[in-house]
Amino acid sequence: QVQLVESGGGLVQAGGSLRLSCAASGTFFSISGMSWFRQALGKERELVASITRSGGTNYADSVKGRFTISRDGARNGVSLQMNSLKPEDTAVYYCNADARIGPTAAVRNYWGQGTQVTVAS
């Protein structure tokens, strides 16, 4: 099984910065793509940014130029640097990963429990 643990959320003023981190632990063979999603109150969960194992990235239009996703350590972690934060960035942010628990196992998708980001105007 794979456990994803997020950290780094909190309260920040508009225009400020936060860095979210997600660390994968447990018994697994490999982790491929990792992503950050967010869900604001009353809204659907949406993709914020994703990164492949080789470093290819993809961003939601709403965060392009402000957020940067990167892989950490032995590529079993992911970070999200968030700059120029806006009140509309307020949401619970979730880490997501595709992983195999063995060399011939199927890829499965895993979620973290989420970390709250609140941007005050």
Side-chain angles (χ1 to χ4, degrees):
Q1 288 292 337
V2 179
Q3 291 83 44
L4 301 174
V5 179
E6 302 103 334
S7 61
L11 173 65
V12 66
Q13 293 293 316
S17 298
L18 281 175
R19 185 177 180 86
L20 305 182
S21 295
C22 172
S25 63
T27 303
F28 54 90
F29 176 73
S30 67
I31 293 179
S32 51
M34 300 190 79
S35 305
W36 287 96
F37 286 74
R38 67 186 180 188
Q39 187 167 19
L41 196 62
K43 295 188 177 182
E44 293 186 354
R45 192 171 296 189
E46 62 175 0
L47 175 67
V48 175
S50 62
I51 185 168
T52 66
R53 187 168 180 83
S54 59
T57 58
N58 182 54
Y59 295 92
D61 287 343
S62 60
V63 307
K64 282 181 181 177
R66 300 188 297 122
F67 291 10
T68 302
I69 189 171
S70 59
R71 295 291 284 258
D72 297 336
R75 302 185 184 275
N76 291 331
V78 64
S79 292
L80 185 69
Q81 178 66 42
M82 305 185 294
N83 298 328
S84 302
L85 283 160
K86 304 175 181 179
E88 52 263 44
D89 294 318
T90 295
V92 178
Y93 284 69
Y94 296 90
C95 179
N96 180 273
D98 291 323
R100 296 178 185 272
I101 60 172
T104 60
V107 174
R108 293 185 62 183
N109 189 255
Y110 297 87
W111 290 93
Q113 292 190 325
T115 184
Q116 176 70 45
V117 171
T118 302
V119 184
S121 58

